[in-house]
Amino acid sequence: MGERIQVSAFREPDNKRFCLALESVLKGKGGRISWDGEARRPAVDCRIAHTATVQSIYLPYLGGFEHELLTSVGRELDVSWIVLFAQEGSIWEYALYRGDRCVNRFSVAPEYWDDSTEFVDQRRGDPRLLAETWGVPIESLRRYLVNWQIADADNDTFEFGLTGKAYPEDRFAYGDFNQVFDFLRALGGEDPTSGLEATRQHAIYVPAGV
């Protein structure tokens, strides 16, 4: 089993509004956040990257509480947001939301989990819907929403048939799960896990029992 990373990006230009919503929702659930502080137990690490149009946030896996928290933030802000998954150190996927409602899903290789027609069709993505929801040109992201053509190499390993980069300026190619961060930049966001100056580190204290 490889590396797993989950980053959420909110179509919200106002960093203060986003942070206030996060703080308010967390408090309502019995938690709190310490701004600009290094996380030490029992706190968990929270990182936020701000751009002119997008707020990107990283939280570790918290048994599903992290999704409950961010869904509530999306509902309170009433904005479009997206969860980006880098799965197993191998593939990447997304779930697109409006408020608290999931409106579209995508995976570069849904067959990794389940090769049934229904499952694969549900994760083909919709470039036009994503572009309209996010307010970006469809041509800036269409080439990311393609199947990597997974193929079995033997019983324990696999390879991808798709090669090259989606766009010349990308850092990562098809077949590299880090392509998800090129995709995030195409949406106007920055990687909150990268250590860039745009990233702020915070400490979240979750409710007891989480």
Side-chain angles (χ1 to χ4, degrees):
M1 183 177 292
E3 182 178 13
R4 293 185 179 186
I5 301 172
Q6 179 175 313
V7 170
S8 296
F10 289 74
R11 190 72 168 82
E12 169 57 67
D14 191 331
N15 177 258
K16 183 177 180 180
R17 182 170 181 259
F18 173 77
C19 290
L20 286 175
L22 176 63
E23 184 175 40
S24 173
V25 169
L26 185 61
K27 183 178 180 180
K29 295 182 180 296
R32 65 183 177 89
I33 186 166
S34 175
W35 298 109
D36 302 312
E38 182 180 353
R40 297 181 178 178
R41 297 185 69 180
V44 296
D45 190 29
C46 169
R47 298 183 181 235
I48 299 173
H50 164 69
T51 70
T53 57
V54 174
Q55 310 299 319
S56 304
I57 181 170
Y58 163 78
L59 282 172
Y61 177 67
L62 299 171
F65 176 75
E66 75 291 347
H67 182 70
E68 175 189 338
L69 173 64
L70 296 176
T71 300
S72 297
V73 172
R75 180 171 57 246
E76 178 157 318
L77 291 173
D78 191 26
V79 296
S80 299
W81 61 290
I82 194 168
V83 188
L84 306 176
F85 307 93
Q87 301 275 36
E88 308 281 336
S90 301
I91 65 174
W92 68 268
E93 306 173 315
Y94 75 61
L96 176 66
Y97 289 80
R98 286 175 176 158
D100 59 1
R101 184 170 63 93
C102 183
V103 297
N104 191 232
R105 292 184 180 275
F106 169 74
S107 173
V108 296
E111 301 90 343
Y112 183 90
W113 309 111
D114 185 341
D115 62 1
S116 67
T117 300
E118 181 181 7
F119 187 86
V120 172
D121 284 346
Q122 290 173 347
R123 287 158 178 78
R124 291 190 185 281
D126 186 334
R128 188 169 302 280
L129 174 62
L130 176 60
E132 291 174 353
T133 299
W134 212 260
V136 295
I138 190 171
E139 292 306 327
S140 68
L141 50 79
R142 184 197 297 274
R143 297 179 191 173
Y144 294 116
L145 274 61
V146 295
N147 192 292
W148 282 0
Q149 303 168 20
I150 192 171
D152 290 328
D154 55 43
N155 292 332
D156 298 315
T157 62
F158 58 89
E159 56 188 17
F160 299 108
L162 196 62
T163 59
K165 293 182 178 180
Y167 297 92
E169 64 273 18
D170 284 352
R171 294 177 59 197
F172 305 103
Y174 295 121
D176 185 338
F177 75 94
N178 286 297
Q179 187 194 54
V180 72
F181 298 114
D182 288 323
F183 177 68
L184 175 59
R185 280 188 286 275
L187 294 176
E190 288 288 352
D191 174 13
T193 71
S194 68
L196 297 175
E197 290 184 3
T199 301
R200 296 174 59 194
Q201 184 176 10
H202 315 290
I204 279 185
Y205 296 83
V206 299
V210 170

